Amino acid sequence: LLSCRLYCEEAKDPKRRSCQTVLAEALDIVVRSFAPILPHLAEEVFQYIPYKKDSEGVFRTGWINASSAWKKPGIEEAIEGACAMRDSFLGSISGKNALEYEVIIVIEPGLLFELMEALQAEETSSVSQLNEIMMASQTTLLSELPKETPSDANIIKGTFLINLEGGDICEQSSYKVIARPIAKAKCPRCRRYTAESSSTPCPRCLQVLAAGKRST
Protein backbone atom coordinates (compact mmCIF):
# COMPACT_ATOMS: atom_id res chain seq x y z
CA LEU A 1 0.00 0.00 0.00
CA LEU A 2 2.77 2.43 0.92
CA SER A 3 5.02 1.52 -2.00
CA CYS A 4 2.20 1.97 -4.52
CA ARG A 5 1.34 5.44 -3.22
CA LEU A 6 4.93 6.60 -2.84
CA TYR A 7 6.36 5.28 -6.09
CA CYS A 8 3.39 5.26 -8.48
CA GLU A 9 1.40 8.41 -7.74
CA GLU A 10 2.33 11.88 -8.96
CA ALA A 11 4.74 13.71 -6.63
CA LYS A 12 2.15 16.20 -5.37
CA ASP A 13 -0.86 13.87 -5.46
CA PRO A 14 -2.86 14.12 -2.18
CA LYS A 15 -2.70 10.34 -1.71
CA ARG A 16 1.10 10.38 -1.91
CA ARG A 17 1.43 13.46 0.29
CA SER A 18 -0.96 12.05 2.91
CA CYS A 19 1.12 8.88 3.02
CA GLN A 20 4.26 10.95 3.65
CA THR A 21 2.45 12.86 6.40
CA VAL A 22 1.48 9.64 8.19
CA LEU A 23 5.04 8.28 7.94
CA ALA A 24 6.44 11.55 9.30
CA GLU A 25 3.98 11.57 12.22
CA ALA A 26 4.73 7.91 13.02
CA LEU A 27 8.49 8.52 12.93
CA ASP A 28 8.17 11.55 15.21
CA ILE A 29 6.15 9.62 17.82
CA VAL A 30 8.39 6.53 17.72
CA VAL A 31 11.60 8.56 18.09
CA ARG A 32 10.27 10.59 21.02
CA SER A 33 8.90 7.43 22.65
CA PHE A 34 12.23 5.60 22.84
CA ALA A 35 14.33 8.72 23.48
CA PRO A 36 14.41 8.21 27.31
CA ILE A 37 15.68 4.64 26.81
CA LEU A 38 17.99 5.12 23.81
CA PRO A 39 18.88 8.82 23.96
CA HIS A 40 21.87 8.77 21.61
CA LEU A 41 20.06 6.77 18.92
CA ALA A 42 16.95 8.94 19.21
CA GLU A 43 19.00 12.11 18.88
CA GLU A 44 20.86 10.78 15.85
CA VAL A 45 17.62 9.80 14.10
CA PHE A 46 16.10 13.17 14.98
CA GLN A 47 19.04 15.07 13.49
CA TYR A 48 18.71 13.18 10.20
CA ILE A 49 14.97 13.77 9.79
CA PRO A 50 14.82 15.37 6.32
CA TYR A 51 12.09 17.92 6.98
CA LYS A 52 11.90 21.10 9.05
CA LYS A 53 11.69 20.56 12.82
CA ASP A 54 10.44 22.90 15.55
CA SER A 55 13.37 22.12 17.89
CA GLU A 56 17.09 21.61 17.61
CA GLY A 57 17.07 18.36 19.60
CA VAL A 58 14.68 15.53 20.40
CA PHE A 59 14.74 16.35 24.13
CA ARG A 60 13.55 19.89 23.44
CA THR A 61 10.42 18.76 21.62
CA GLY A 62 8.42 17.92 24.73
CA TRP A 63 6.39 14.80 25.30
CA ILE A 64 4.05 13.22 22.77
CA ASN A 65 0.80 15.07 22.20
CA ALA A 66 -0.94 13.51 19.20
CA SER A 67 -3.56 15.66 17.51
CA SER A 68 -7.21 14.69 17.94
CA ALA A 69 -7.56 15.10 14.16
CA TRP A 70 -6.03 11.63 13.78
CA LYS A 71 -9.01 10.08 15.59
CA LYS A 72 -11.68 9.94 12.92
CA PRO A 73 -14.87 8.10 14.00
CA GLY A 74 -15.42 4.90 12.05
CA ILE A 75 -12.09 4.82 10.21
CA GLU A 76 -10.54 2.24 12.54
CA GLU A 77 -13.53 -0.07 12.11
CA ALA A 78 -13.47 0.47 8.33
CA ILE A 79 -9.80 -0.53 8.12
CA GLU A 80 -10.27 -3.53 10.41
CA GLY A 81 -13.28 -4.69 8.38
CA ALA A 82 -11.37 -4.33 5.11
CA CYS A 83 -8.42 -6.26 6.59
CA ALA A 84 -10.76 -9.08 7.63
CA MET A 85 -12.03 -9.31 4.05
CA ARG A 86 -8.48 -9.17 2.73
CA ASP A 87 -7.55 -12.12 4.93
CA SER A 88 -10.50 -14.04 3.47
CA PHE A 89 -9.35 -13.15 -0.04
CA LEU A 90 -5.70 -14.07 0.51
CA GLY A 91 -6.71 -17.32 2.19
CA SER A 92 -8.81 -18.27 -0.83
CA ILE A 93 -5.93 -17.92 -3.31
CA SER A 94 -3.50 -19.93 -1.18
CA GLY A 95 -0.25 -17.98 -1.53
CA LYS A 96 -0.69 -16.95 -5.16
CA ASN A 97 0.06 -13.45 -6.41
CA ALA A 98 -2.86 -11.29 -5.23
CA LEU A 99 -2.26 -8.80 -8.04
CA GLU A 100 -3.28 -11.46 -10.57
CA TYR A 101 -6.83 -11.32 -9.19
CA GLU A 102 -9.81 -9.04 -9.01
CA VAL A 103 -11.96 -9.12 -5.89
CA ILE A 104 -15.71 -8.82 -5.60
CA ILE A 105 -16.98 -7.89 -2.13
CA VAL A 106 -20.68 -8.32 -1.45
CA ILE A 107 -22.20 -6.71 1.65
CA GLU A 108 -25.87 -6.20 2.36
CA PRO A 109 -26.88 -2.53 2.85
CA GLY A 110 -25.99 -1.44 6.36
CA LEU A 111 -23.24 0.02 8.49
CA LEU A 112 -20.44 -2.20 7.17
CA PHE A 113 -21.32 -1.35 3.59
CA GLU A 114 -21.27 2.36 4.44
CA LEU A 115 -17.84 2.00 6.05
CA MET A 116 -16.50 0.27 2.93
CA GLU A 117 -18.00 3.01 0.76
CA ALA A 118 -15.86 5.48 2.72
CA LEU A 119 -12.83 3.57 1.39
CA GLN A 120 -14.19 3.18 -2.14
CA ALA A 121 -16.86 5.51 -3.49
CA GLU A 122 -16.90 3.90 -6.94
CA GLU A 123 -18.43 0.49 -7.55
CA THR A 124 -15.22 -0.78 -9.17
CA SER A 125 -11.75 0.68 -8.69
CA SER A 126 -8.09 -0.20 -9.04
CA VAL A 127 -6.82 2.87 -7.15
CA SER A 128 -9.16 3.17 -4.13
CA GLN A 129 -8.07 2.80 -0.52
CA LEU A 130 -10.14 -0.38 -0.31
CA ASN A 131 -8.33 -1.90 -3.28
CA GLU A 132 -4.97 -0.95 -1.79
CA ILE A 133 -5.87 -2.79 1.41
CA MET A 134 -7.14 -5.82 -0.52
CA MET A 135 -3.80 -5.93 -2.39
CA ALA A 136 -5.59 -6.96 -5.60
CA SER A 137 -5.48 -5.33 -9.02
CA GLN A 138 -9.15 -4.38 -8.89
CA THR A 139 -11.93 -4.40 -6.29
CA THR A 140 -15.67 -4.27 -6.85
CA LEU A 141 -18.03 -3.39 -3.98
CA LEU A 142 -21.63 -4.59 -4.36
CA SER A 143 -24.74 -4.97 -2.21
CA GLU A 144 -25.76 -8.25 -3.88
CA LEU A 145 -24.16 -11.06 -5.85
CA PRO A 146 -23.78 -10.35 -9.58
CA LYS A 147 -26.32 -12.21 -11.70
CA GLU A 148 -23.53 -13.67 -13.85
CA THR A 149 -21.82 -15.33 -10.88
CA PRO A 150 -21.10 -18.97 -11.86
CA SER A 151 -22.77 -21.64 -9.76
CA ASP A 152 -19.36 -23.16 -8.97
CA ALA A 153 -17.77 -19.83 -7.94
CA ASN A 154 -15.63 -19.98 -4.81
CA ILE A 155 -17.54 -17.67 -2.48
CA ILE A 156 -15.90 -17.05 0.89
CA LYS A 157 -18.32 -15.98 3.60
CA GLY A 158 -17.46 -14.12 6.77
CA THR A 159 -18.79 -11.84 9.49
CA PHE A 160 -17.48 -8.70 11.13
CA LEU A 161 -18.57 -7.10 14.39
CA ILE A 162 -18.69 -3.30 14.35
CA ASN A 163 -18.37 -1.37 17.61
CA LEU A 164 -18.74 2.40 17.47
CA GLU A 165 -19.12 5.12 20.09
CA GLY A 166 -17.70 2.93 22.86
CA GLY A 167 -20.13 0.11 22.13
CA ASP A 168 -23.25 2.27 21.85
CA ILE A 169 -23.46 1.30 18.18
CA CYS A 170 -22.96 -2.42 17.67
CA GLU A 171 -23.76 -4.37 14.51
CA GLN A 172 -22.82 -7.84 13.29
CA SER A 173 -22.51 -7.80 9.51
CA SER A 174 -21.92 -10.58 7.03
CA TYR A 175 -19.95 -10.35 3.80
CA LYS A 176 -19.00 -12.46 0.81
CA VAL A 177 -15.69 -12.35 -1.06
CA ILE A 178 -15.15 -13.71 -4.56
CA ALA A 179 -11.67 -13.85 -6.14
CA ARG A 180 -11.41 -14.12 -9.91
CA PRO A 181 -8.30 -14.16 -12.14
CA ILE A 182 -8.13 -10.75 -13.79
CA ALA A 183 -8.23 -10.60 -17.57
CA LYS A 184 -6.06 -7.50 -18.06
CA ALA A 185 -2.31 -7.24 -18.70
CA LYS A 186 0.41 -6.27 -16.23
CA CYS A 187 1.26 -2.57 -16.28
CA PRO A 188 5.04 -2.17 -16.85
CA ARG A 189 5.13 0.77 -14.40
CA CYS A 190 2.97 -0.07 -11.35
CA ARG A 191 2.97 -3.89 -11.90
CA ARG A 192 -0.76 -4.18 -11.41
CA TYR A 193 -2.85 -6.06 -13.93
CA THR A 194 -4.77 -3.00 -15.09
CA ALA A 195 -3.32 -2.34 -18.55
CA GLU A 196 -4.74 -3.19 -21.94
CA SER A 197 -1.31 -4.34 -23.12
CA SER A 198 1.86 -5.44 -21.31
CA SER A 199 3.82 -2.87 -23.33
CA THR A 200 1.60 0.09 -22.41
CA PRO A 201 1.11 1.61 -18.93
CA CYS A 202 -2.33 1.46 -17.36
CA PRO A 203 -4.66 4.50 -17.50
CA ARG A 204 -3.63 5.69 -14.02
CA CYS A 205 0.09 5.54 -14.86
CA LEU A 206 -0.43 7.21 -18.24
CA GLN A 207 -2.15 10.08 -16.43
CA VAL A 208 0.69 10.41 -13.90
CA LEU A 209 3.35 10.32 -16.62
CA ALA A 210 1.50 12.95 -18.65
CA ALA A 211 1.23 15.21 -15.59
CA GLY A 212 4.97 14.81 -14.97
CA LYS A 213 5.76 15.91 -18.50
CA ARG A 214 3.54 18.98 -18.16
CA SER A 215 5.26 20.00 -14.90
CA THR A 216 8.69 19.88 -16.54
Side-chain angles (χ1 to χ4, degrees):
L1 185 145
L2 294 179
S3 61
C4 184
R5 287 195 178 193
L6 292 173
Y7 296 116
C8 297
E9 299 292 353
E10 187 182 353
K12 295 182 179 180
D13 187 280
K15 287 195 286 188
R16 184 176 186 273
R17 298 291 289 132
S18 65
C19 181
Q20 291 176 310
T21 299
V22 170
L23 290 174
E25 184 75 9
L27 177 62
D28 178 70
I29 290 176
V30 168
V31 170
R32 287 198 280 163
S33 295
F34 69 66
I37 305 170
L38 299 168
H40 299 295
L41 176 60
E43 186 61 39
E44 183 176 4
V45 172
F46 186 83
Q47 294 302 326
Y48 279 94
I49 289 177
Y51 48 83
K52 184 178 180 181
K53 303 176 286 289
D54 295 331
S55 300
E56 296 180 357
V58 66
F59 289 99
R60 294 180 180 273
T61 61
W63 190 237
I64 302 164
N65 185 22
S67 171
S68 59
W70 291 98
K71 185 63 176 178
K72 186 176 180 181
I75 194 65
E76 182 178 351
E77 289 73 17
I79 299 297
E80 289 179 350
C83 288
M85 297 174 201
R86 179 192 62 195
D87 292 344
S88 297
F89 159 56
L90 295 178
S92 72
I93 61 175
S94 142
K96 297 178 182 177
N97 184 1
L99 290 174
E100 295 179 0
Y101 289 83
E102 62 174 322
V103 180
I104 299 174
I105 299 173
V106 182
I107 308 170
E108 293 184 357
L111 186 54
L112 182 59
F113 188 87
E114 293 174 5
L115 290 175
M116 292 306 105
E117 279 190 315
L119 300 177
Q120 178 169 304
E122 310 89 348
E123 183 176 283
T124 299
S125 177
S126 60
V127 297
S128 68
Q129 296 179 72
L130 179 58
N131 188 66
E132 289 179 340
I133 294 171
M134 296 305 292
M135 300 168 61
S137 280
Q138 179 175 286
T139 297
T140 298
L141 179 63
L142 301 172
S143 58
E144 58 183 14
L145 280 173
K147 294 180 180 179
E148 66 274 13
T149 303
S151 58
D152 60 346
N154 182 21
I155 302 176
I156 300 92
K157 299 180 180 180
T159 59
F160 183 73
L161 179 63
I162 301 171
N163 276 300
L164 292 173
E165 304 295 338
D168 291 339
I169 302 175
C170 187
E171 182 176 300
Q172 180 89 14
S173 300
S174 60
Y175 62 83
K176 299 180 182 73
V177 175
I178 305 172
R180 301 193 306 199
I182 196 161
K184 295 185 178 180
K186 181 193 285 188
C187 172
R189 182 174 180 271
C190 70
R191 311 312 243 177
R192 287 182 174 176
Y193 289 77
T194 51
E196 299 301 324
S197 167
S198 59
S199 60
T200 306
C202 66
R204 187 274 300 271
C205 287
L206 285 173
Q207 184 177 356
V208 172
L209 291 170
K213 291 180 180 178
R214 289 196 298 269
S215 63
T216 57

